[in-house]
Amino acid sequence: MSYYIRTFSTSPAPSLEEMATALQAVAPQVSLENSSQDTETRAVVLVNGAVLAELEVSPQGSDVFEEEIEDFTTIAARAAGGESQVQNALNATRTIFAFRVLDQGRPRDCTLDMLDPVIDHYLALYPGILHAQLQGFYVGNEMILATG
């Protein structure tokens, strides 16, 4: 089963090359490699050579972006608690970074522990909120809306 972590950023979509350069500046152990023919929106995330996730970047206006904003708006509306804060963040989103976690034979918790600092770097470079599948929406380390 695939496990996803998404960040909903208020920043415009960077190119994969721009992201790789920005990440190298703050986390030289992190690299991005092309994962498919679609070199503009998809990459594999590696830390010290270990494959951790496939990253898909969906800019505002793309079909994937529109579908995911609609889906996560519905998810937020069904949950109780911080849905207005989440809805405001979704309305302000300009780019979605979707990380499909690739365990590669490791226990999921081990992969997530390795991926966590990478996602923290993304949120520092491209601010927004985070959604962890089966859990909920987060701002920083604080869950603002449980959806799991």
Side-chain angles (χ1 to χ4, degrees):
M1 179 177 116
S2 293
Y3 183 82
Y4 283 87
I5 298 171
R6 289 174 176 83
T7 63
F8 296 86
S9 175
T10 56
S11 299
S15 71
L16 292 178
E17 185 177 328
E18 290 168 333
M19 285 189 298
T21 301
L23 282 169
Q24 283 290 300
V26 295
Q29 72 280 13
V30 179
S31 60
L32 299 178
E33 291 184 2
N34 292 341
S35 67
S36 68
Q37 302 274 354
D38 185 0
T39 59
E40 294 299 312
T41 62
R42 291 180 187 265
V44 174
V45 179
L46 299 96
V47 173
N48 295 323
V51 174
L52 299 182
E54 182 178 55
L55 170 64
E56 181 175 9
V57 180
S58 301
Q60 189 174 33
S62 70
D63 290 343
V64 172
F65 178 94
E66 301 304 330
E67 289 170 19
E68 291 207 341
I69 291 295
E70 184 177 324
D71 290 347
F72 283 92
T73 297
T74 300
I75 289 169
R78 288 184 187 152
E83 63 272 4
S84 64
Q85 185 178 1
V86 170
Q87 187 57 57
N88 290 339
L90 292 173
N91 288 341
T93 297
R94 296 178 67 190
T95 306
I96 301 170
F97 298 95
F99 296 86
R100 183 171 65 95
V101 177
L102 302 172
D103 293 321
Q104 304 289 300
R106 294 178 297 263
R108 169 81 33 92
D109 287 345
C110 178
T111 304
L112 291 175
D113 287 346
M114 294 168 68
L115 187 59
D116 219 21
V118 176
I119 293 179
D120 289 345
H121 289 304
Y122 268 89
L123 286 169
L125 293 166
Y126 313 106
I129 64 169
L130 177 141
H131 180 266
Q133 187 176 349
L134 306 174
Q135 294 179 32
F137 289 94
Y138 290 82
V139 171
N141 291 325
E142 179 185 346
M143 183 183 287
I144 58 172
L145 182 64
T147 60

